[in-house]
Amino acid sequence: MSSDIFVWIAAFLTIAIYSFLYKDNPLYKAAEHLFVGVSVGYSIVILYFNVVSPRLLVPLFQEGDWVLIFPALIGLLMVSRFFPKYDWLSRITIAFVLGISTGINLPLIIQASLLKQLQGTMLAMTNLNDILIVVGVFCVMIYFYFSSEHKGIVNSVSKIGILFIMVGFGASFGYTVMARISLLIGRLEFLFHDWIHLIK
Amino acid sequence: MIKRQIPLMIAFVMGILFIIQFFVPHQLSQDLLTGVNKWLMIIGGISLLLGINSLVHFHYVQIKRETPGWGFSLVMFLCFGLALVAGFLPSIVMWFVEPAKAGAEPVKWLSFIPLIPPFEPGSTLFWIFRNGISPFMATMFSMIGFFIASAAFRAFRARSLEATLLLIAAVIIMLGQTPIGQMLWQGIPDIMVWIFSVPNTAAKRAIWFGITMGTIAFSLRIIFGIERAYLGGTDQK
């Protein structure tokens, strides 16, 4: 067994979390709250050292970039939510962020997610795979077409679409499970190799 | 009235301004984009105060009212404080005690504090991430695997053509990524690649088209003030 106290603590916490697989219990809850506390504290430190300090405090107070007082004030308007009489001021921040984000993203989405994807779907259809992709995209889109009732030819096409969707979902499912399993293997390796040295 | 009109106007002006910005290939336009991205990061960072306040307030009330399980809230506070101290203390010490020798040998009475900037190997915060947060997240996510497997056992019964296709695709993907799949039949990894690149691509691309259309419509609704849910409530104040 390991003689490192920190390995023992980590092993104890790992088992505490896995104890939830049996049922919800105080050990799991303690570990969960520990995780939340540490994660939030860590996030605040990251935020301070990666955003607040280098992008706001240093340029503002050391380099004299006074323009940055505006985003600081706009951000601070969110704090008005704590005062019911003035909580409407937080809408200004939300509107500002939403307006800019949608303005920046709209042309990018049209370009990257719509036009480029459409371009990628306009295949020469010289082989079976290309034909399957074009037919698959068309059928799945018909499946999500709700402006007319799915009857006759529309119904038949949308049913082919379902088959493609099912294969896609199956692929996503299998991929997700394998990702989780690899994490599980990592944790088991820690328990049986680093902690109790059962695996050499 | 004005309390709703001003935000709507801001969203409209900013939205239109940055759509135009995309089509202007001038350096000024690029500078505007770079600058506003910094602004968004600053605003986002400050807005996080709301989330932190919500968390702290909730657990404070739990402890104050001594509701069942209030001890867990105490654990949360302790760990929250520990992470903050681990992150800020070295910098505070460096700033106040040894400003001229930042990063050099610490003063004797503070020698137990490693004067290493946070996130760098050797710092307490780095240790917390490597031995605490990272394995914790891995354990949490790996646990989801059990629930997915359990749900799949119930849902994946081959009762229809659709369910059978889902099952077959999932099994091939899972086998294709493991050595046992290759041992069973050499062709499984190739089929896995084909599933990913042909039917999966077709389905995901069509779904993505739908998401994109929805995003475009929603963005336009926000810019033109049709979508007002972000203003909150139904009051007209």
Side-chain angles (χ1 to χ4, degrees):
Chain A
M1 282 212 173
S2 172
S3 55
D4 188 343
I5 180 75
F6 294 118
V7 171
W8 276 81
I9 294 170
F12 173 74
L13 289 171
T14 303
I15 292 167
I17 292 171
Y18 282 139
S19 69
F20 185 76
L21 291 170
Y22 172 60
K23 66 174 184 180
D24 199 4
N25 63 79
L27 207 62
Y28 170 75
K29 276 186 181 158
E32 188 188 29
H33 282 75
L34 187 148
F35 179 49
V36 171
V38 170
S39 303
V40 175
Y42 185 80
S43 307
I44 292 172
V45 179
I46 285 189
L47 190 76
Y48 178 78
F49 284 105
N50 289 350
V51 178
V52 178
S53 176
R55 293 179 193 275
L56 179 66
L57 299 181
V58 172
L60 191 62
F61 296 113
Q62 288 181 12
E63 295 161 12
D65 192 356
W66 294 104
V67 177
L68 292 178
I69 210 146
F70 291 107
L73 285 174
I74 294 169
L76 280 172
L77 286 179
M78 283 303 281
V79 180
S80 67
R81 292 222 153 201
F82 300 141
F83 311 100
K85 199 177 169 187
Y86 302 104
D87 66 349
W88 65 274
L89 286 169
S90 65
R91 292 172 183 167
I92 292 174
T93 313
I94 299 169
F96 187 79
V97 173
L98 267 180
I100 291 174
S101 307
T102 48
I104 292 173
N105 288 320
L106 194 59
L108 292 176
I109 289 169
I110 293 172
Q111 194 183 45
S113 301
L114 196 67
L115 299 179
K116 288 281 177 193
Q117 292 290 328
L118 275 172
Q119 199 180 0
T121 314
M122 303 293 175
L123 299 164
M125 293 207 278
T126 48
N127 58 52
L128 184 66
N129 286 346
D130 286 1
I131 295 167
L132 277 172
I133 287 177
V134 174
V135 170
V137 170
F138 179 74
C139 294
V140 175
M141 287 187 80
I142 290 293
Y143 175 73
F144 287 111
Y145 179 72
F146 300 120
S147 297
S148 75
E149 205 178 336
H150 283 202
K151 284 193 299 192
I153 185 79
V154 176
N155 187 41
S156 310
V157 173
S158 76
K159 274 188 175 163
I160 298 169
I162 297 173
L163 303 182
F164 277 91
I165 292 171
M166 285 300 150
V167 175
F169 285 168
S172 299
F173 177 86
Y175 197 72
T176 309
V177 168
M178 289 315 289
R180 302 287 185 255
I181 296 280
S182 72
L183 287 171
L184 176 66
I185 291 168
R187 295 319 296 152
L188 292 178
E189 198 182 353
F190 166 75
L191 289 176
F192 292 113
H193 178 264
D194 298 4
W195 184 42
I196 57 174
H197 296 168
L198 199 71
I199 303 171
K200 298 291 175 193
Chain B
M1 186 70 174
I2 200 160
K3 292 173 184 175
R4 294 177 78 85
Q5 292 305 320
I6 289 175
L8 289 174
M9 205 160 27
I10 290 172
F12 174 75
V13 171
M14 290 299 154
I16 296 294
L17 178 71
F18 282 93
I19 289 174
I20 294 169
Q21 181 278 327
F22 180 81
F23 297 100
V24 180
H26 194 273
Q27 187 57 39
L28 199 70
S29 161
Q30 290 307 310
D31 292 346
L32 179 72
L33 183 66
T34 313
V36 90
N37 274 325
K38 276 186 199 166
W39 281 36
L40 289 181
M41 285 178 86
I42 293 166
I43 294 168
I46 295 172
S47 304
L48 202 75
L49 281 172
L50 287 183
I52 295 161
N53 170 72
S54 172
L55 181 84
V56 169
H57 182 258
F58 172 79
H59 287 284
Y60 169 73
V61 170
Q62 295 283 101
I63 295 169
K64 195 180 167 190
R65 291 181 186 162
E66 292 188 11
T67 49
W70 64 272
F72 299 123
S73 297
L74 209 61
V75 172
M76 196 291 295
F77 270 119
L78 280 172
C79 298
F80 179 55
L82 181 81
L84 288 183
V85 168
F88 288 116
L89 196 60
S91 302
I92 292 169
V93 171
M94 274 197 270
W95 199 29
F96 281 108
V97 183
E98 289 276 350
K101 295 180 185 174
E105 283 294 304
V107 287
K108 274 185 182 172
W109 64 278
L110 284 169
S111 58
F112 69 96
I113 302 167
L115 290 184
I116 303 165
F119 317 117
E120 281 189 21
S123 69
T124 316
L125 207 70
F126 183 82
W127 184 91
I128 286 178
F129 179 77
R130 202 166 169 179
N131 298 296
I133 296 173
S134 181
F136 234 109
M137 285 170 82
T139 312
M140 281 287 194
F141 281 112
S142 73
M143 205 163 69
I144 296 170
F146 286 100
F147 295 111
I148 294 177
S150 145
F153 183 74
R154 277 169 280 172
F156 274 21
R157 270 172 258 168
R159 282 175 294 197
S160 62
L161 176 65
E162 290 87 355
T164 312
L165 274 175
L166 191 98
L167 176 69
I168 292 170
V171 169
I172 290 173
I173 298 298
M174 285 191 271
L175 284 175
Q177 292 181 73
T178 49
I180 197 169
Q182 223 164 357
M183 279 165 65
L184 286 171
W185 183 45
Q186 292 282 335
I188 286 183
D190 295 331
I191 298 176
M192 184 195 81
V193 172
W194 181 81
I195 288 175
F196 262 124
S197 53
V198 180
N200 177 60
T201 300
K204 296 286 162 62
R205 194 169 278 170
I207 291 171
W208 196 243
F209 280 144
I211 293 170
T212 306
M213 298 286 194
T215 311
I216 293 167
F218 198 72
S219 300
L220 289 173
R221 282 173 65 89
I222 287 173
I223 291 170
F224 291 109
I226 301 162
E227 178 58 55
R228 298 174 180 208
Y230 68 89
L231 296 175
T234 51
D235 61 313
Q236 294 297 312
K237 67 178 180 177

